[in-house]
Amino acid sequence: MAKSADVSIADMDGSEALPRKNGELVFEAPWEGRAFGLAVTLNEHGIYEWPAFRDQLVAEIADAEARGIESSYYERWATSLERLAISRGLVTPEELEARAEEYEHGNREEDWE
Amino acid sequence: MAEDHHEHHHHDDQSPAAIRVKALESLLIEKGIVSTDAIDAVVETYENDIGPMNGARVVAHAWVDPDYRARLLTDGTGAIAELGFWGSQGAEIVVLENTRTVQNMVVCTLCSCYPWPVLGLPPTWYKSAAYRSRAVLEPRQVLREMGLDLEESVEVRVWDSTAETRYMVLPERPAGTEKMNEDELVALVSRDSMVGVARVREPAAVR
């Protein structure tokens, strides 16, 4: 059985509150759902405590707002996730860059699906 | 983010953000840190497993099982856990019984505390400044605006949620449902009835 949802994630309040519609989570594109699932899965695997991710996200949102960057909630979420994955030593910026490049230029099949 | 992807914006799965997420996911899977299945399960849990349906099940079960109903009203958290609901954090859920003469309604005047494991995430109106202040000051008027016109004889009780104590309403079982089974009853129970801003409508009115 899948674990039940964590109140400290689902119930975040303030600027970091999850986008929702009538109580349900809203993902405007599939990748937003993947980014959400990835961040929560890493938390469940004990890579970081949820407050660490939340703090990163809050900082990311504040930074984007301060600099007037019109990124979406999940774009900021994805940046937070990336930074945390790098700072926790899961990936290096170089391999991430290289892999993104491959996807961007269609040099990589979606073998992980 | 650069201007140059403005046209397809972030809805496009070839957007820079989409590609970076895909790259990160693929690396983490390759390294054996996560699996596609685990991510899928998480997304599904948060999308589907929480929501008003859980609360509706609690309500319907209480309607058909008097012993459960009694447990629910004395120990909401425990009785709800019997059905497998509630997350990891230790907030208590108190269940309030609505009757013909008492209408309990729930608000969180400070922020948006809400019994989400049973009701899902709070609706926008629940978080609005207007609802949060007016529910306490003029609850009858608020209920009327939301479509529930109560007789003067009905007593309205407003409950203010906190991080530690969250309230859920057990609405009155409507007339005309005597022959319905639990699953059929689940379908009748609306989220708003469990926040106490609506009554459960009789089956004829649902159709």
Side-chain angles (χ1 to χ4, degrees):
Chain A
M1 279 301 287
K3 294 174 67 168
S4 58
D6 184 339
V7 69
S8 63
I9 298 173
D11 219 7
M12 290 193 295
D13 214 344
S15 64
E16 73 273 28
L18 296 167
R20 62 191 67 166
K21 194 172 183 181
N22 218 11
E24 306 291 331
L25 294 186
V26 175
F27 300 119
E28 295 191 353
W31 73 264
E32 296 190 348
R34 303 312 289 169
F36 172 83
L38 205 45
V40 175
T41 304
L42 291 178
N43 166 242
E44 288 189 352
H45 287 2
I47 306 287
Y48 45 71
E49 297 292 311
W50 191 254
F53 183 85
R54 194 190 56 217
D55 291 349
Q56 183 76 45
L57 178 61
V58 169
E60 206 58 56
I61 293 169
D63 180 61
E65 299 285 332
R67 291 164 39 188
I69 299 171
E70 289 187 22
S71 44
S72 72
Y73 176 87
Y74 277 109
E75 281 169 342
R76 293 163 183 182
W77 175 290
T79 308
S80 308
L81 176 60
E82 220 174 82
R83 287 192 207 278
L84 221 46
I86 290 168
S87 71
R88 298 296 156 111
L90 304 182
V91 294
T92 66
E94 293 74 24
E95 57 187 355
L96 199 52
E97 205 59 55
R99 184 60 54 94
E101 193 105 326
E102 286 177 349
Y103 277 122
E104 195 171 353
H105 297 109
N107 295 337
R108 193 176 181 88
E109 293 302 308
E110 311 222 337
D111 54 354
W112 47 279
E113 283 206 313
Chain B
M1 287 285 138
E3 293 279 351
D4 57 13
H5 69 283
H6 214 79
E7 279 173 20
H8 7 258
H9 211 47
H10 52 267
H11 299 279
D12 188 339
D13 260 12
Q14 283 303 311
S15 69
I19 286 173
R20 297 196 71 91
V21 168
K22 204 150 74 166
L24 180 62
E25 182 178 357
S26 119
L27 283 168
L28 294 178
I29 288 170
E30 202 169 277
K31 291 164 185 267
I33 296 167
V34 296
S35 70
T36 308
D37 287 350
I39 300 169
D40 288 345
V42 161
V43 176
E44 201 172 313
T45 298
Y46 281 77
E47 274 189 324
N48 305 326
D49 286 3
I50 60 168
M53 281 306 294
N54 291 354
R57 199 151 278 289
V58 169
V59 168
H61 196 54
W63 281 348
V64 300
D65 181 343
D67 290 342
Y68 182 76
R69 176 199 193 88
R71 288 201 297 284
L72 185 66
L73 293 173
T74 50
D75 173 18
T77 312
I80 287 166
E82 281 180 43
L83 298 191
F85 307 134
W86 197 225
S88 57
Q89 292 213 335
E92 191 189 352
I93 299 186
V94 172
V95 179
L96 312 159
E97 184 180 30
N98 277 358
T99 64
R100 201 140 300 189
T101 54
V102 175
Q103 179 77 24
N104 294 287
M105 71 185 279
V106 181
V107 65
C108 177
T109 56
L110 280 180
C111 47
S112 62
C113 296
Y114 192 71
W116 70 268
V118 276
L119 298 192
L121 298 172
T124 311
W125 56 259
Y126 186 83
K127 301 183 72 174
S128 71
Y131 179 78
R132 284 159 45 200
S133 57
R134 294 185 58 224
V136 175
L137 296 172
E138 42 175 1
R140 273 175 197 280
Q141 179 59 27
V142 170
L143 290 176
R144 196 171 299 127
E145 287 167 21
M146 295 182 86
L148 180 58
D149 207 349
L150 294 174
E151 294 157 29
E152 279 307 309
S153 59
V154 177
E155 182 193 345
V156 177
R157 296 179 189 162
V158 181
W159 299 79
D160 194 358
S161 310
T162 66
E164 294 78 31
T165 307
R166 301 178 188 217
Y167 301 99
M168 173 187 147
V169 170
L170 172 61
E172 199 184 359
R173 181 171 177 169
T177 59
E178 294 75 15
K179 289 186 177 142
M180 295 176 80
N181 67 30
E182 196 171 328
D183 286 340
E184 290 167 333
L185 290 169
V186 168
L188 290 183
V189 183
S190 68
R191 176 194 64 206
D192 288 1
S193 73
M194 295 183 281
V195 183
V197 297
R199 282 177 166 160
V200 176
R201 285 178 295 175
E202 295 181 17
V206 169
R207 288 195 195 102

